[in-house]
Amino acid sequence: MTEALQSLLAAATGRPCGRGRLPLVAGQPASLPYTVLYPQGGLLDGAPLADRSEDGQFLYQVTVVAARTDQAEWLADRVRQALLGRTASGDWENLILVPGVDVWARELLVDDGVDPAGADDGMVTAVQRYKLSATAYRASSVPQGTGSDPMGAC
């Protein structure tokens, strides 16, 4: 799940995304702005997620790191759009592709906005926390990424 989310963030925002640390580009530290993804654990509802038709909630923090406040706001907006954006038909704009798992819901839990405290030192941050809800499925049942929501939410 974490690897899929990290890939989605980098592709959809057009900026590097590190996992728990500064991202590297061609072996070198990425230039600003970039994001850092922090897995925060999760909750299982019922049997383990590996059992069919059981749900899990996975919590993630996305920290935007930028040189200026306007850069941080711009990238924070792109992260929100990447994770919460919908098409005209109500599908997710960006699928979180995890083999054998349907990520059927996404929720922004916290958006702390931009913290300009480090602007004088050339480093501004913004923090967002998300909850992803997922269900394991059998290959013969719901196709990955389409969800089982009758309202077409996924």
Side-chain angles (χ1 to χ4, degrees), residues 2-35:
T2 301
E3 187 174 320
L5 183 55
Q6 181 182 10
S7 294
L8 178 149
L9 288 170
T13 64
R15 299 300 307 157
C17 179
R19 189 182 320 175
R21 62 184 174 87
L22 168 75
L24 300 177
V25 176
Q28 299 297 314
S31 60
L32 296 172
Y34 57 80
T35 57

Side-chain angles (χ1 to χ4, degrees), residues 37-151:
L37 179 65
Y38 296 95
Q40 303 288 296
L43 306 168
L44 294 177
D45 184 19
L49 183 61
D51 288 354
R52 301 300 180 212
S53 301
E54 293 300 333
D55 295 336
Q57 287 82 43
F58 302 88
L59 306 175
Y60 289 95
Q61 176 175 305
V62 180
T63 301
V64 170
V65 183
R68 301 183 319 265
T69 300
D70 63 326
Q71 281 183 331
E73 290 171 342
W74 170 83
L75 189 50
D77 287 343
R78 291 189 65 121
V79 169
R80 274 188 298 277
Q81 184 64 32
L83 291 176
L84 303 176
R86 302 275 191 157
T87 65
S89 63
D91 296 327
W92 297 114
E93 283 182 9
N94 299 290
L95 297 180
I96 300 173
L97 300 174
V98 181
V101 175
D102 180 25
V103 181
W104 53 270
R106 307 171 191 189
E107 181 180 353
L108 176 61
L109 298 175
V110 174
D111 188 342
D112 286 338
V114 174
D115 180 5
D120 292 339
D121 298 325
M123 190 161 298
V124 178
T125 60
V127 172
Q128 299 169 355
R129 288 185 196 89
Y130 293 88
K131 178 172 74 172
L132 307 179
S133 297
T135 300
Y137 70 91
R138 283 175 253 189
S140 63
S141 64
V142 179
Q144 199 286 323
T146 61
S148 56
D149 185 324
M151 300 302 291

